[in-house]
Amino acid sequence: MRNGQCFIEKKATTLQTFTESIREKGFTQSIRVLNLEIIESNRYISRMLEIPLASQILHLRRLRVINGKPRTIERTYICYEKVRGIEQSDFSHLSFYAELKRLFGYVTMRSEEEVLITEPSKEERELLGCEGEVMMLKGTTYLKDLEPFEYFETIAVSDFFRFQSTQEL
């Protein structure tokens, strides 16, 4: 915590989940599941996951509250065929990635993400209690065989993440 603020440091060279980062910093968290449903993939999600259009997709949307303040809204999309039955898990108390490993043995080995600054929707502003622009992280995670596994979008209050990158010749 710096100047009374809590933030997560994201290193460009390290694959670490939000839950791991939060625990490492000693922050408290609570999670509210906003949506947990099986939907059909649209053209964009199908392209990102390299699956046929209208495939069944697990869609999980959660609000993460850190040290008593709403910080992120996280959307996860995974081909339902790969995680059938996971919707029975209580993701208000469980780490999503820990549950994927426990139930199916999945461990993501790679993540490609981009960071954008965007205007939040009215609902996102209300959920996060913020005004103005927010940060969006979106990307794809991969299993060891570099098969796309998950597409995600995270909306975060703008001061929640600090990014670190090291470059060498």
Side-chain angles (χ1 to χ4, degrees):
M1 208 174 311
R2 186 184 301 166
N3 299 329
Q5 292 183 333
C6 69
F7 60 90
I8 299 296
E9 294 174 335
K10 288 199 48 87
K11 297 178 182 175
T13 57
T14 305
L15 183 61
Q16 188 175 38
T17 69
F18 288 156
T19 300
E20 292 168 339
S21 299
I22 289 162
R23 285 184 183 145
E24 185 178 280
K25 293 280 245 177
F27 297 152
T28 61
Q29 76 168 337
S30 63
I31 296 173
R32 187 171 116 210
V33 175
L34 303 172
N35 300 82
L36 178 57
E37 58 193 348
I38 310 306
I39 61 172
E40 287 187 354
S41 63
N42 61 27
R43 190 174 312 277
Y44 183 74
I45 300 298
S46 293
R47 190 175 82 233
M48 298 310 291
L49 293 177
E50 297 178 9
I51 58 175
L53 184 63
S55 295
Q56 284 192 316
I57 296 294
L58 174 82
H59 172 232
L60 172 62
R61 188 171 72 121
R62 302 181 298 170
L63 174 68
R64 192 180 297 258
V65 178
I66 311 297
N67 288 351
K69 294 185 178 180
R71 292 292 177 216
T72 65
I73 301 168
E74 302 161 12
R75 288 182 181 265
T76 299
Y77 302 89
I78 296 178
C79 182
Y80 184 62
E81 181 180 301
K82 295 178 181 178
V83 295
R84 189 172 298 279
I86 198 169
E87 70 277 9
Q88 304 304 314
S89 299
D90 180 3
F91 291 111
S92 60
H93 294 93
L94 297 171
S95 162
F96 184 69
Y97 288 107
E99 194 69 351
L100 286 171
K101 183 177 182 180
R102 184 183 76 79
L103 292 174
F104 306 102
Y106 293 135
V107 176
T108 56
M109 303 300 286
R110 177 184 176 98
S111 177
E112 294 176 0
E113 59 187 52
E114 60 182 300
V115 180
L116 307 143
I117 302 299
T118 187
E119 284 293 324
S121 69
K122 181 181 177 188
E123 179 191 26
E124 291 165 342
R125 276 193 308 273
E126 289 171 2
L127 287 169
L128 294 173
C130 68
E131 293 296 324
E133 297 173 331
V134 292
M135 187 178 309
M136 175 190 270
L137 285 75
K138 66 179 187 172
T140 306
T141 62
Y142 299 84
L143 301 175
K144 65 180 177 235
D145 56 5
L146 295 184
E147 173 188 350
F149 179 67
E150 167 201 26
Y151 173 73
F152 63 89
E153 294 178 351
T154 299
I155 299 291
V157 294
S158 59
D159 63 351
F160 184 60
F161 291 104
R162 300 282 197 278
F163 292 89
Q164 181 186 48
S165 176
T166 303
Q167 300 176 3
E168 295 182 26
L169 260 172

mmCIF file of all heavy atoms in Angstrom, residues 22 35 51 67 106 118 143 164:
data_model
loop_
_atom_site.group_PDB
_atom_site.id
_atom_site.type_symbol
_atom_site.label_atom_id
_atom_site.label_comp_id
_atom_site.label_asym_id
_atom_site.label_seq_id
_atom_site.Cartn_x
_atom_site.Cartn_y
_atom_site.Cartn_z
ATOM 1 N N ILE A 22 -2.887 -10.530 -4.854
ATOM 2 C CA ILE A 22 -3.585 -9.956 -3.705
ATOM 3 C C ILE A 22 -3.087 -10.590 -2.409
ATOM 4 O O ILE A 22 -2.809 -9.894 -1.426
ATOM 5 C CB ILE A 22 -5.107 -10.108 -3.884
ATOM 6 C CG1 ILE A 22 -5.576 -9.165 -4.994
ATOM 7 C CG2 ILE A 22 -5.856 -9.840 -2.584
ATOM 8 C CD1 ILE A 22 -6.923 -9.491 -5.566
ATOM 9 N N ASN A 35 -22.489 -12.879 -12.786
ATOM 10 C CA ASN A 35 -23.066 -13.796 -13.769
ATOM 11 C C ASN A 35 -22.255 -15.081 -13.757
ATOM 12 O O ASN A 35 -21.030 -15.035 -13.695
ATOM 13 C CB ASN A 35 -22.991 -13.259 -15.207
ATOM 14 C CG ASN A 35 -23.701 -11.965 -15.415
ATOM 15 O OD1 ASN A 35 -23.157 -10.917 -15.122
ATOM 16 N ND2 ASN A 35 -24.915 -12.040 -15.935
ATOM 17 N N ILE A 51 -12.625 -21.471 -31.716
ATOM 18 C CA ILE A 51 -13.677 -22.485 -31.637
ATOM 19 C C ILE A 51 -14.795 -22.102 -32.610
ATOM 20 O O ILE A 51 -14.891 -20.941 -33.015
ATOM 21 C CB ILE A 51 -14.247 -22.611 -30.202
ATOM 22 C CG1 ILE A 51 -14.808 -21.271 -29.719
ATOM 23 C CG2 ILE A 51 -13.179 -23.154 -29.251
ATOM 24 C CD1 ILE A 51 -15.499 -21.326 -28.367
ATOM 25 N N ASN A 67 -9.681 -4.723 0.083
ATOM 26 C CA ASN A 67 -9.612 -3.849 1.263
ATOM 27 C C ASN A 67 -10.870 -2.988 1.386
ATOM 28 O O ASN A 67 -10.803 -1.808 1.703
ATOM 29 C CB ASN A 67 -8.356 -2.978 1.237
ATOM 30 C CG ASN A 67 -7.092 -3.774 1.514
ATOM 31 O OD1 ASN A 67 -7.145 -4.937 1.878
ATOM 32 N ND2 ASN A 67 -5.952 -3.143 1.324
ATOM 33 N N TYR A 106 -5.912 -28.274 -15.118
ATOM 34 C CA TYR A 106 -5.464 -27.214 -16.021
ATOM 35 C C TYR A 106 -4.555 -26.221 -15.307
ATOM 36 O O TYR A 106 -4.867 -25.745 -14.216
ATOM 37 C CB TYR A 106 -6.644 -26.418 -16.581
ATOM 38 C CG TYR A 106 -7.547 -27.188 -17.513
ATOM 39 C CD1 TYR A 106 -8.920 -27.104 -17.383
ATOM 40 C CD2 TYR A 106 -7.037 -27.977 -18.534
ATOM 41 C CE1 TYR A 106 -9.770 -27.783 -18.239
ATOM 42 C CE2 TYR A 106 -7.879 -28.671 -19.390
ATOM 43 C CZ TYR A 106 -9.242 -28.562 -19.246
ATOM 44 O OH TYR A 106 -10.070 -29.233 -20.092
ATOM 45 N N THR A 118 -10.532 3.123 -21.201
ATOM 46 C CA THR A 118 -11.862 3.159 -21.805
ATOM 47 C C THR A 118 -12.855 3.840 -20.869
ATOM 48 O O THR A 118 -12.585 4.025 -19.688
ATOM 49 C CB THR A 118 -12.323 1.726 -22.163
ATOM 50 O OG1 THR A 118 -13.541 1.780 -22.890
ATOM 51 C CG2 THR A 118 -12.493 0.881 -20.925
ATOM 52 N N LEU A 143 -2.875 -23.025 -22.518
ATOM 53 C CA LEU A 143 -2.346 -24.192 -21.821
ATOM 54 C C LEU A 143 -0.969 -24.513 -22.397
ATOM 55 O O LEU A 143 -0.487 -23.829 -23.303
ATOM 56 C CB LEU A 143 -3.304 -25.373 -21.991
ATOM 57 C CG LEU A 143 -4.725 -25.143 -21.457
ATOM 58 C CD1 LEU A 143 -5.627 -26.322 -21.790
ATOM 59 C CD2 LEU A 143 -4.702 -24.883 -19.960
ATOM 60 N N GLN A 164 5.103 -2.995 -14.721
ATOM 61 C CA GLN A 164 6.556 -2.969 -14.726
ATOM 62 C C GLN A 164 7.044 -3.792 -15.904
ATOM 63 O O GLN A 164 6.579 -4.911 -16.131
ATOM 64 C CB GLN A 164 7.087 -3.558 -13.409
ATOM 65 C CG GLN A 164 8.601 -3.534 -13.338
ATOM 66 C CD GLN A 164 9.112 -4.246 -12.101
ATOM 67 O OE1 GLN A 164 8.690 -5.345 -11.811
ATOM 68 N NE2 GLN A 164 10.007 -3.590 -11.405
#
